[in-house]
Amino acid sequence: MRYGHPAAGADSRFAEPVPDMVKQFVVYFYRHIRERNVREIHTMYDTSFAKLSERFYKTSSWPPVDAVADLVDQDHVFCLLYKEMYFRHLYAVAQPSLEQRAESWDNYCSLFNVVLHGNVNMQLPNAWLWDMVDEFIYQFQSFAQYRGRLQNKAPEELQMLRKCASAGVWDVLSVLNYLQALIDKSGVVKELSTEGGAQRFNETEGYEQHSSNVLPMVGYFSLVGLLRVHSLFGDYHGALKALAPINPFVTKHLFTPKIAGCNITLYYYGGFCYLMQRRYLDAAKAFNLVLSYIARVKQYHARSAQYDQILKKNEQIYALLAITTALCPAANNLLDENILNALQEKSADKISKMKNGSENAFEDLFSYACPKFVTAAPPSLDNPNINTNQEAYRLQLRCFLGLIHEQRHLPTLKQFLKLYTSISLPKLASLMELDEATVRGQLLVLKAASFCKTWSGTGDATEGTVHAAADVDFYIDINEAGTELVHVSDTKVVRRQGEFLARHISKFADIVRDLNTPELPNVPLAPAPMTATY
Amino acid sequence: MVVGADAYDHRKLPELERKVADQVNTGTYDLDANLALLRLYNVQPERIDLRLVASILIKAMMQLPKPDFALALHMIPERLQEEQPVAALIALTQHLEGARFQKYWEAVDACRDIVKAVPGYYEAVRAYILQAIQSTCQKVTRATLAQSLRADGETLDKLIQDKVASEGWSVNKTPGGGAIISLPKNDMNTIRPPQSAQGMRLNTMLPMLVPAAQ
């Protein structure tokens, strides 16, 4: 489908000669794909493509597919794959035009239709298959943002947007339906639920001798994709429900850690959904898992294009964890010590502000760390003076701050409770400068906030049982004189001193050993080499 | 079932709308279907039926202390949240979650007509209020109960008697005509024993136990 005349720029590009190195790349890339040589495909996809982009196409797009199609026998599927990379690169280096957005949509549709209905025999690297799903959703999100900003659009552009809308370009339900169709057709849900299925899936990684890994893996990644799309609409329950065949807390045969981007997406959106559902312990568990994962693997990505994104997500997840622990201090007990230390280092003062009920502190962190929400409905093209992009974000922020506002008295209440083992309700009320009925109500609110639904080892990730998550324990009684008394007990959790001591013992042992190591000859005493290994 | 591809099909909208009406009539509840309807409404705002949105919210309110109401709210456009009856329902839920029960009873009268349309509404709210009190208090005065539930005289007497029989409440009359009610202890209205320290993982101890390995 054509959405307009090709821009003049595209024509002149077409005329530009394709460098020999690029030609060679295309030829070899095509050959390796035909020969199902996954290892080589991966190297070319991951390394060579980035190097050539850096050298020839740092600020411009790759040659249009027509310029290379003859090198690859006009192979239909290869051309779709080439365009997939072409558009991804284009989105990364420039602001795509509406026409390009529409063409990329068409390309994804054709590509997914081939995967769904064609008899695909290819083997492609799983990292690429994840990138496809990831980029598909990213471009959808990007289109929704683009569509929301109508003020500066020319009449022709609005006209074309109408055309796109009626052609279903980046249509919300179509996006969801593609992901769902890929899941259904792949049979991945059934495979993961059969006994030993998850283990087999994890071991083979979808690569089987005589079949293609494309559909099974794209289906698997689409589960994580649905989690993300639902989250973008604020549908947090639907998000976890859609993810159900993958349980982020059953890590034994979990495949996602093998693809960093996929694993981070899984826990970032999964954790965010838990946070918005007020399942703080689950949120903390999810964030803790992924933060220690990132700490472990980030060194391997230091030179990859995703490195900056990984670091950004890392910071955002720490911000979400800060919100989680501020709302539910008991969540701290679930964190590894190094995560807890890093959290303190990064946001100790923000956490203490949030714990004192500062709505601004909550808002700052929320707006920094939340997903880029999108409005599902298209804006009214007849009234182009509004910007609908902020709407989706404002709605989510409003709901979140509503909860914070409702709990604004709790920090003070907790502070007073912690000073006593028992205190009469009238006295507590006078300390808080509120009336008795209000304080009794606030105690009920605090009690309710001290328990949250938590996944308890059975069922999918939406299930769970109610668990205590309190940092102060109390109940209301009435004494013989007829006065209401609040009995309090601080729930001091014994920190795992053992691990702390063990770590310091081994650190100390290291120091002692280093000191005892005889000096190596030829090593200058000062300055000590930074990379010295002993 | 509204799962998988069905959940993203706008042709399912009438069916999902019927389901909401069914839930109201039969006293059943289907969160997934309701959220699926809100999702489709989000895609096609021109088809939003405010009465059904209100029904979904009332049904969700009846699920307290579950966060269903909040979940639905995340999917209802801000513009609608400021309109009636949605705005009033939000206020009611905030009063309930904030345990401002007297305020709730004052406000609910203004919405009498729409909540009355959902059978079992008041029973569900009273059950929630009682649950909130029982999770916090071991004893409660009759006066507090009366205020929180907006029930007095014979109605309240009957409710208390039922609970004495079925859930083990006990009543002590106090001079002056009042009464103090003892509520059975449960996991929430008692103080839990402190958590004991957890064991240490072998991996943590290994470096100390095998210094020779270094």
Side-chain angles (χ1 to χ4, degrees), chain A residues 104-117 132-133 136-137 140 167-186 215 218-223 225-226 229, chain B residues 4-5 8-9:
Chain A
S104 182
W105 162 253
D106 279 352
N107 191 57
Y108 272 115
C109 292
S110 311
L111 189 58
F112 288 154
N113 285 335
V114 168
V115 173
L116 283 169
H117 309 298
M132 269 181 210
V133 174
F136 177 64
I137 297 168
F140 157 71
V169 173
W170 292 116
D171 170 70
V172 178
L173 293 179
S174 305
V175 168
L176 288 165
N177 274 320
Y178 264 116
L179 295 173
Q180 186 65 48
L182 289 163
I183 293 166
D184 291 345
K185 189 79 191 269
S186 71
L215 185 56
V218 172
Y220 182 84
F221 293 136
S222 295
L223 291 167
L226 276 184
V229 179
Chain B
Y8 313 125
D9 185 348

Side-chain angles (χ1 to χ4, degrees), chain A residues 35-342:
Chain A
E35 289 172 358
R36 297 161 46 107
N37 190 341
V38 176
R39 194 182 293 263
E40 283 302 322
I41 303 171
H42 186 256
T43 312
M44 296 195 74
Y45 170 78
D46 198 50
T47 315
S48 316
F49 186 77
K51 277 191 186 147
L52 290 172
S53 301
E54 177 73 18
R55 175 149 174 206
F56 297 108
Y57 307 109
K58 210 167 174 182
T59 54
S60 63
S61 62
W62 271 62
V65 70
D66 298 342
V68 300
D70 285 337
L71 299 171
V72 296
D73 316 327
Q74 302 272 355
D75 185 275
H76 178 58
V77 175
F78 181 84
C79 287
L80 294 176
L81 291 171
Y82 177 85
K83 273 158 77 185
E84 200 271 335
M85 292 168 72
Y86 167 90
F87 283 117
R88 178 137 37 96
H89 172 256
L90 180 108
Y91 269 75
V93 296
Q95 185 69 249
S97 69
L98 178 53
E99 192 193 345
Q100 287 164 331
R101 290 171 191 274
E103 278 174 17
S104 182
W105 162 253
D106 279 352
N107 191 57
Y108 272 115
C109 292
S110 311
L111 189 58
F112 288 154
N113 285 335
V114 168
V115 173
L116 283 169
H117 309 298
N119 203 354
V120 177
N121 187 30
M122 291 179 292
Q123 295 262 16
L124 293 180
N126 288 333
W128 188 0
L129 298 175
W130 160 253
D131 288 345
M132 269 181 210
V133 174
D134 189 47
E135 181 71 12
F136 177 64
I137 297 168
Y138 168 75
Q139 292 191 12
F140 157 71
Q141 185 185 309
S142 166
F143 180 82
Q145 300 271 335
Y146 167 86
R147 187 179 66 172
R149 288 185 305 266
L150 290 179
Q151 301 102 319
N152 307 324
K153 300 229 180 336
E156 307 86 72
E157 220 171 346
L158 290 176
Q159 190 53 39
M160 202 146 103
L161 262 176
R162 277 198 188 86
K163 218 162 133 190
C164 287
S166 58
V169 173
W170 292 116
D171 170 70
V172 178
L173 293 179
S174 305
V175 168
L176 288 165
N177 274 320
Y178 264 116
L179 295 173
Q180 186 65 48
L182 289 163
I183 293 166
D184 291 345
K185 189 79 191 269
S186 71
V188 69
V189 176
K190 191 165 166 235
E191 172 156 10
L192 290 177
S193 64
T194 51
E195 210 187 314
Q199 185 177 358
R200 198 168 55 241
F201 190 84
N202 187 31
E203 279 164 9
T204 62
E205 306 186 7
Y207 299 123
E208 310 233 14
Q209 196 76 57
H210 299 294
S211 61
S212 163
N213 68 327
V214 175
L215 185 56
M217 294 318 289
V218 172
Y220 182 84
F221 293 136
S222 295
L223 291 167
V224 181
L226 276 184
L227 166 75
R228 176 170 167 194
V229 179
H230 280 277
S231 306
L232 295 179
F233 298 134
D235 181 5
Y236 306 116
H237 178 80
L240 288 175
K241 201 90 191 163
L243 179 73
I246 301 176
N247 187 325
F249 298 133
V250 182
T251 51
K252 193 164 177 207
H253 298 300
L254 193 65
F255 172 76
T256 53
K258 294 186 182 168
I259 311 278
C262 180
N263 201 47
I264 294 168
T265 304
L266 170 68
Y267 287 103
Y268 167 74
Y269 288 99
F272 188 77
C273 288
Y274 282 126
L275 176 59
M276 300 309 275
Q277 295 198 33
R278 309 179 191 174
R279 292 174 62 165
Y280 303 118
L281 299 181
D282 284 334
K285 252 189 290 177
F287 295 144
N288 185 61
L289 274 169
V290 71
L291 288 171
S292 42
Y293 172 83
I294 294 176
R296 220 165 42 238
V297 305
K298 71 175 175 200
Q299 49 173 322
Y300 304 115
H301 295 273
R303 268 182 241 146
S304 101
Q306 298 173 347
Y307 191 58
D308 288 343
Q309 284 176 32
I310 292 177
L311 294 187
K312 170 101 193 278
K313 273 281 168 286
N314 191 53
E315 295 308 305
Q316 286 183 314
I317 294 168
Y318 267 111
L320 292 177
L321 187 59
I323 293 177
T324 310
T325 57
L327 286 170
C328 176
N332 277 324
N333 304 327
L334 298 171
L335 305 181
D336 291 348
E337 200 188 315
N338 51 340
I339 305 286
L340 193 60
N341 289 342

Side-chain angles (χ1 to χ4, degrees), chain A residues 177 180 230 235 237 241 278 377 394-396 398-399 406 441 445 447 451 468 473 475-477 499, chain B residues 5 8 32 39 42 45 74 76 78 81-82 97 99-100 135-139 188-189 192 201 208:
Chain A
N177 274 320
Q180 186 65 48
H230 280 277
D235 181 5
H237 178 80
K241 201 90 191 163
R278 309 179 191 174
R394 269 210 325 267
L395 170 60
Q396 302 307 316
R398 174 194 173 114
C399 292
E406 204 53 70
V445 174
K447 190 55 110 173
F451 286 82
D473 221 353
Y475 64 89
I476 302 177
D477 199 6
E499 291 199 8
Chain B
Y8 313 125
D32 291 333
R39 188 185 309 134
N42 268 323
H74 281 286
I76 294 175
E78 211 173 5
Q81 295 197 14
E82 276 153 17
E97 286 204 287
R100 297 183 294 272
S135 66
T136 313
C137 308
Q138 292 190 354
K139 290 198 180 104
M188 294 177 85
N189 70 1
R192 283 178 307 281
R201 277 172 288 204
M208 291 185 288

Side-chain angles (χ1 to χ4, degrees), chain A residues 454-466:
Chain A
T454 307
W455 188 72
S456 56
T458 52
D460 64 49
T462 57
E463 290 177 31
T465 48
V466 174

Side-chain angles (χ1 to χ4, degrees), chain B residues 124-138:
Chain B
V125 167
R126 289 212 164 89
Y128 166 70
I129 295 173
L130 274 180
Q131 190 271 336
I133 293 173
Q134 295 192 79
S135 66
T136 313
C137 308
Q138 292 190 354

